[in-house]
Amino acid sequence: MAKRENKRKVELEFQKEAERQKRKERAIKKAKEVIEEKEINENIIEGRNPVLEAFDSKITVEKILVSKGDTKGSIIKVLSIAKEKGIPVIEVDRRKLDEIANTPNHQGVVAYITPYRYAEVADILKIAQDRSEKPFVLILDEIQDPHNLGSIIRTAELSGVHGVIIPKRRSMGVNTTVFKTSAGAVNHMAIAKVTNIARVIDELKDAGIFVYGADMEGDSKSYNTNFEGGVGLVIGNEGKGISRLVREKCDGIVSIPMVGKVNSLNASVAAGILMYEVMKSRITGKK
């Protein structure tokens, strides 16, 4: 009788553990759904290092919210610099930060910043003119992953791009994740947000810029394309690539040769390869 009771007890414990696991998985799934549905606030920066980087940038930090009782590690430096700069610091409950932050990884600090100031397309062309360089403009057709956008902006800043153009709709804007992923490059890159990408391409072409679209079915290969003149480089959406209308507006379509079994590259990787091809053409063209 005792053996039967013990067996039953083990079975009940197993069932209870299985139910606990299911509840935990449901809670995690619900939390992820809430994060995904939450509207991204572009006017905050969260996390200790991103806030510290903001202090050294052109970004204006208006106020800082920190978790009550959190006085260890790099948060001490955050508080010290905020005091030096006269930035108001408000202590709040950590649950309040969870509600405000775009992600759960705020590390107990959220900074409210002056909204990011987007440039105009004319500003981008003026930057090239002031540097006595042929314009090099990156056009992003509905890039929706903030990590991709941040990585692209970081590479763009390093490879001599004068400005990045993104659409106002169906595209990621400059938010906390983009700021963090770009390693602060958004502070040094002119980014224009426009209503109509196709119309802007026409404007760039009128300014003497040759616009290339990136597509794996392009006739021209990236390694033997001459990018010495004014260049507009279009990178398409992560899934569907360049939209039909934008593709039709391009002067040429360029592809990156691939020999593996995977038939496409991540958008930020493809953009990086092509940006460096442009930079290489310009460097070798000066010799």
Side-chain angles (χ1 to χ4, degrees), residues 14-213:
F14 181 80
Q15 289 174 1
K16 287 180 181 179
E17 180 59 32
E19 284 298 321
R20 280 195 292 268
Q21 188 62 32
K22 285 181 181 179
R23 286 197 297 270
K24 185 177 179 181
E25 290 173 356
R26 284 196 295 267
I28 293 172
K29 183 179 179 181
K30 186 176 180 180
K32 286 182 178 179
E33 288 173 351
V34 169
I35 292 170
E36 288 172 358
E37 291 174 2
K38 188 176 182 180
E39 185 177 350
I40 298 296
N41 185 351
E42 293 186 7
N43 301 330
I44 64 171
I45 291 176
E46 58 203 54
R48 299 181 182 188
N49 285 334
V51 171
L52 288 171
E53 288 171 1
F55 287 144
D56 295 327
S57 72
K58 299 175 184 176
I59 291 174
T60 301
V61 179
E62 297 176 349
K63 66 179 178 180
I64 294 174
L65 272 57
V66 297
S67 179
K68 283 182 182 178
D70 195 349
T71 56
K72 294 181 180 179
S74 55
I75 195 67
I76 297 173
K77 187 175 180 180
V78 171
L79 297 174
S80 175
I81 296 175
K83 184 177 180 180
E84 288 176 10
K85 292 179 175 289
I87 300 169
V89 176
I90 304 168
E91 288 192 352
V92 298
D93 188 88
R94 194 174 185 89
R95 285 175 294 183
K96 181 67 174 177
L97 292 180
D98 292 338
E99 293 173 8
I100 294 170
N102 292 316
T103 73
N105 306 316
H106 52 72
Q107 298 176 308
V109 58
V110 169
Y112 279 84
I113 61 173
T114 300
Y116 181 79
R117 293 183 63 182
Y118 289 96
E120 300 293 332
V121 175
D123 297 328
I124 294 173
L125 299 180
K126 181 72 164 48
I127 291 170
Q129 183 181 359
D130 291 344
R131 295 180 187 174
S132 299
E133 297 172 348
K134 295 290 185 181
F136 181 11
V137 183
L138 191 63
I139 305 154
L140 305 180
D141 187 16
E142 298 183 14
I143 294 292
Q144 295 177 337
D145 186 326
H147 295 92
N148 276 337
L149 180 57
S151 296
I152 289 170
I153 293 170
R154 182 175 184 174
T155 306
E157 200 281 324
L158 292 168
S159 55
V161 172
H162 297 112
V164 177
I165 297 173
I166 61 176
K168 289 183 178 179
R169 297 180 60 194
R170 296 187 295 275
S171 177
M172 178 55 60
V174 177
N175 63 20
T176 309
T177 304
V178 173
F179 180 89
K180 185 186 292 186
T181 310
S182 77
V186 292
N187 298 317
H188 312 288
M189 178 57 58
I191 303 171
K193 217 173 189 181
V194 302
T195 304
N196 191 310
I197 288 286
R199 191 178 302 150
V200 168
I201 289 177
D202 283 336
E203 293 174 11
L204 295 176
K205 289 162 76 171
D206 289 341
I209 296 172
F210 196 94
V211 179
Y212 298 88

Side-chain angles (χ1 to χ4, degrees), residues 5 7 11 90 150 189 203 230 241 261 271:
E5 288 177 353
K7 185 178 180 181
E11 289 175 350
I90 304 168
M189 178 57 58
E203 293 174 11
K261 295 181 180 179

